[in-house]
Amino acid sequence: GGGGGGRPAAAAAVRETMEIPARMIGRIIGKAGATIQSLQETTGAHISIDSPPPAPGRLSEYAAPAGNVQVVITGDTASAVSAAKEAVRRLAAGGPGLGPGSAPGLLR
C-alpha cells in the first residue's frame, strides 16, 4: 500500500543552506525587506538569513562581522529552492537578483 495525494507535512520538503558575505545582508534583504520578499514571491521558496544583532545604539544598522552569514532556503520543490539559491548567490556577488531590473548577460 502507500499513501499519496494529500498535503505534505508542515515542514518544507527541500532545505538548503549557503553562506554569503555578511556585508551583503542589506543587499539581499533590500529596503524594508522588499528584495527578499520579492525573491520569495517569485521563487516560491522561503529565505531566512541568520543575521547578527544590530550594533548597540545603532538599531538601523547591522553589526556586520567580517566573515559570512548563513542563509537557509526552504521550499516545497527542489526547483523553487534552487532558483532562490541562485538569485541570492547572484545578489551576494553584486549582480542582479530576479525579475524586473535584472540586467541580462551580466557577467561576474
Side-chain angles (χ1 to χ4, degrees), residues 67-79:
N68 293 334
V69 294
Q70 190 173 64
V71 177
V72 179
I73 302 170
T74 55
D76 290 333
T77 66
S79 60

Side-chain angles (χ1 to χ4, degrees), residues 11-20 28 36 39-50 69-92 98:
V14 183
R15 180 179 193 270
E16 282 205 38
T17 60
M18 63 188 290
E19 288 194 347
I20 62 167
I28 306 301
I36 196 167
L39 290 176
Q40 291 179 129
E41 288 172 7
T42 303
T43 63
H46 177 76
I47 303 166
S48 172
I49 299 175
D50 183 17
V69 294
Q70 190 173 64
V71 177
V72 179
I73 302 170
T74 55
D76 290 333
T77 66
S79 60
V81 172
S82 178
K85 187 174 181 179
E86 179 61 19
V88 169
R89 187 196 62 75
R90 281 197 305 265
L91 282 168
L98 294 171

